[in-house]
Amino acid sequence: MNKKNHAADEVKPPEKKDDVVRDDYRDKYVRLAADFDNAVKRMEKDRIDYIRYANDKIIAELFPLLDSFDSAMANVDPSDKDKAVVQGLKLL
């Protein structure tokens, strides 16, 4: 009877090894899935930041142009207010 119990004990370690391997793969899978989710979130944030900062740059480049149009409107001769160029400046 001792030999049977001893043989049964020898069978259990491979099962435990399988459990350890399974748990290791599961842990790696969970970590990989979390890393993937984090990468997706990071890429979305980077995309939004890129768009935001690209728009900021465009707007900053437009300010001097808008100042020039304001200066042009301030220096319009009152007799020229009906001319097409002045009307175009007003639209801007």
Side-chain angles (χ1 to χ4, degrees):
M1 192 120 184
N2 273 344
K3 290 182 180 180
K4 288 183 182 179
N5 286 342
H6 185 58
D9 290 338
E10 289 178 15
V11 173
K12 287 185 180 178
E15 290 174 359
K16 287 183 181 179
K17 284 183 182 179
D18 290 343
D19 290 345
V20 169
V21 170
R22 182 199 65 223
D23 291 344
D24 186 45
Y25 280 126
R26 184 182 181 284
D27 184 54
K28 287 179 183 179
Y29 169 76
V30 169
R31 289 177 188 272
L32 184 63
D35 286 345
F36 180 77
D37 288 341
N38 289 337
V40 168
K41 290 175 187 175
R42 186 172 45 251
M43 284 187 284
E44 181 65 19
K45 181 185 175 295
D46 289 347
R47 186 184 68 83
I48 290 170
D49 288 345
Y50 176 78
I51 291 169
R52 180 183 308 134
Y53 293 124
N55 289 339
D56 288 349
K57 184 178 178 184
I58 292 170
I59 290 170
E61 290 175 359
L62 287 177
F63 278 135
L65 183 65
L66 293 174
D67 285 341
S68 296
F69 287 129
D70 288 340
S71 296
M73 285 301 294
N75 293 315
V76 169
D77 187 18
S79 63
D80 294 335
K81 289 207 183 239
D82 292 330
K83 290 188 177 179
V85 173
V86 176
Q87 295 298 321
L89 286 174
K90 286 180 181 178
L91 292 175
L92 293 173

